[in-house]
Amino acid sequence: MTAPSTPAPRPTLEAVAAHAGVSRATVSRVVNGGAGVRSSLAGRVLRAVDELGYVPNRAARSLVTRRHDAVAVVIAEPETRVFADPFFAQQLRGISKELTAHDSQLVLLLVEGRDDYARVGRYLAGGHVDGALVFSVHLDDELPDIIRRSALPTVFGGRPDRGGECAPYVDCDNRGGAREAVRHLRSLGRKRIAHIAGPPDQTSAVDRLDGYRDVLPEADPALVARGDFTPAGGERAMRELLDRAPELDAVFAANDLTAAGALRVLHERGRRVPEDVAVVGFDDMEPVVEQTRPPLTTVRQDIEGMGRLMARLLLRGLERGGVRGAPCGDSVTAPASVITPTALVRRASA
Amino acid sequence: MTAPSTPAPRPTLEAVAAHAGVSRATVSRVVNGGAGVRSSLAGRVLRAVDELGYVPNRAARSLVTRRHDAVAVVIAEPETRVFADPFFAQQLRGISKELTAHDSQLVLLLVEGRDDYARVGRYLAGGHVDGALVFSVHLDDELPDIIRRSALPTVFGGRPDRGGECAPYVDCDNRGGAREAVRHLRSLGRKRIAHIAGPPDQTSAVDRLDGYRDVLPEADPALVARGDFTPAGGERAMRELLDRAPELDAVFAANDLTAAGALRVLHERGRRVPEDVAVVGFDDMEPVVEQTRPPLTTVRQDIEGMGRLMARLLLRGLERGGVRGAPCGDSVTAPASVITPTALVRRASA
């Protein structure tokens, strides 16, 4: 054997074949994924690869180092919502651009519902990806625990309720943005400012409600209705609000889709926007804010940029931490979480 | 050794640990994906697993049999189009439902462009999925060749130009559906029936153009314009057609999105639909046909059903062919392609 300071000559494909007693083609097939090779034969080849320390190319490197140049994205929503809400498309766009720039494959794991999380966990633990980007986690989701058990390097999109101590997250300043929206409505002289909240099991919705309450700690509880981040939820909540607080003169909606639904109901009930009721959304999601009548004043967050940032944090963590997952709480290899700023974008609705 | 007719007792996790000279926990970590285990140690465990024929659970089974209970979906379009065109969401919905029913994970591989196909090919060949569902392949795409080289069982969505001899596909009767659309316009007494074709590098577009020509072999070439399956392409093509054949009285558009763009231009130019110009689309895509003015007459294809069928064909092929990919042209294990019927759906536009 050569001394550690002198690098050993890299073993060749032929050496592996000779060592395993198989053909060169068989070694090649095994190190390129193993399709069409009996498992006993593949075992012999893997053994020889291991014993000789053979690292021929990218595919074989993945066998030895367990690096796959692939990153999983898990969105804790049913596939139907993933495709109906442009928020996810924008975040995926940012992630896709960043991963592509680093020649890492974006692997989107779709689910129908929570029953599928165990299967997602098996895939994540199965050695198919280098890390995971996870978003839209709900407060009672098992997903953060499942992901922690997979020991896979992870970055969350949006602050998770649990699991955040083990993995960094990227989120916007939900509470600060909400405060700015409500202060703006107040600066317009509005006295009865309502809020349509998002689902109470998502931290972004809770934070935005908290921001509303920061500015209006004495607000009438009848002015707060619960939505679910969808236009249909915004319609339902707006009807409720108009029924129990008909004198309201402003609405801060937890996201743009909710605001779009609220606007439809306000038109239906003959309220003029912004003359009778001023409306502010959250997100600044282009396909939505352009189509509302009137165009929507909203709180901008850089959704695509947050996607890029999530991918960048993960890739940087993988480089620093090597190919193994950083253990939970390891502050040396785990990058810090990032909170991105928001900004009020004024259009015609408020 | 026991005789082949008497099943050997299944080796335990403990037996593997003893054989490899490692702890039970190390074996468990390796067979569950190997995170946090040195590769030399993992190699010893894999060897012991192989020598004892240990099959403890799903994750370990995947190491031995190379079955992953996961199926890749590759859409040969940039990620931006995948999320902008509801066709893909509907097809993915069908695929997702079918895979979930069989507890197989849907792994969507997103790309930014064709430069990323080599990386997709590496992932497919890397032993991460049991098979692939591939759609929106273009005539000059390298993708079918890349997939063939991966030796992964594959089902195509839409007839591929090449590679179809190695893998079955699911497609609708594009040519027959187009004939029905054009015959319908002729039955309304229309004399100058135009066609906005899809991209000439996709077989579905070529087949629909052929169906138009089947019914109108003598049609003026000025009545055929080229679109690209998007609303913007439909707008451009409609302007061209009105400029060079202003007397046209009907349009068969290659898909609903194209028809939506054409309708906008017809309104803009003051043509009444259907009085002056009758319009027929293709797909019957709900979010599109409901929003056009007037509602769109179109050729229905069961997009979600086709997705389900693709997944079903692949899963059936995997069961029959075992865990290895069927070799190219193997007619025993490869299921046959399926052409699904289309139907004209009459609404107000024709």
Side-chain angles (χ1 to χ4, degrees), chain B residues 310-321:
Chain B
M310 285 173 70
R312 209 171 295 159
L313 283 183
L314 182 67
L315 293 172
R316 207 180 293 160
L318 291 174
E319 277 165 25
R320 280 199 277 176

Side-chain angles (χ1 to χ4, degrees), chain A residues 30 32-44 46-47 50-51 58-59 62-66 68-70 79-80 82-83 88-90 92-94 96-97 99-112 115-116 119-120 122-123 125-129 150-152 324-325, chain B residues 30 32-44 46-47 50-51 58-59 62-66 68-70 79-80 82-83 88-90 92-94 96-97 99-112 115-116 119-120 122-123 125-129 150-152 324-325:
Chain A
V30 170
N32 284 292
V37 181
R38 268 182 298 124
S39 68
S40 62
L41 217 58
R44 261 158 68 193
L46 287 173
R47 210 146 46 207
D50 192 53
E51 283 167 12
R58 185 186 290 266
S62 117
L63 281 174
V64 175
T65 65
R66 300 191 174 272
H68 307 287
D69 293 307
E79 154 278 321
T80 43
V82 172
F83 279 86
F88 300 117
Q90 282 188 37
L92 281 168
R93 188 160 313 149
S96 177
K97 280 183 185 161
L99 292 181
T100 296
H102 289 84
D103 205 22
S104 185
Q105 180 59 47
L106 195 170
V107 171
L108 178 59
L109 303 181
L110 290 180
V111 297
E112 292 279 305
D115 291 347
D116 303 329
R119 194 183 62 231
V120 166
R122 285 198 299 272
Y123 199 79
H128 303 300
V129 291
S150 79
L152 203 62
R324 307 281 171 231
Chain B
V30 170
N32 285 293
V37 180
R38 268 183 297 123
S39 68
S40 60
L41 218 58
R44 261 158 68 193
L46 287 173
R47 209 147 47 208
D50 193 52
E51 284 166 12
R58 187 185 291 266
S62 117
L63 282 174
V64 176
T65 65
R66 299 185 174 277
H68 308 287
D69 293 309
E79 155 278 320
T80 42
V82 171
F83 279 86
F88 300 118
Q90 283 188 36
L92 280 168
R93 189 161 312 152
S96 177
K97 280 183 186 164
L99 292 181
T100 296
H102 289 84
D103 205 22
S104 185
Q105 181 58 47
L106 196 169
V107 171
L108 179 59
L109 304 180
L110 290 180
V111 297
E112 291 279 304
D115 292 347
D116 303 329
R119 194 183 62 230
V120 166
R122 285 198 300 271
Y123 199 79
H128 303 301
V129 291
S150 79
L152 203 62
R324 306 281 172 232

Side-chain angles (χ1 to χ4, degrees), chain B residues 18 32 36-37 54 121 150 162 164 203 217 223 293-294 299 305 333 344:
Chain B
N32 285 293
V37 180
Y54 175 64
S150 79
R162 294 168 298 137
T203 59
L223 287 171
R293 272 184 296 178
V299 177
T333 52
L344 190 77

Side-chain angles (χ1 to χ4, degrees), chain A residues 276-289:
Chain A
D276 303 328
V277 181
V279 177
V280 178
F282 201 110
D283 281 346
D284 199 33
M285 200 121 63
E286 265 189 25
V288 180
V289 294

Side-chain angles (χ1 to χ4, degrees), chain B residues 231-251:
Chain B
E235 288 183 11
R236 271 194 306 273
M238 194 69 241
R239 283 198 188 98
E240 265 178 48
L241 285 171
L242 287 173
D243 289 344
R244 70 180 183 228
E247 75 295 356
L248 62 84
D249 57 10
V251 178

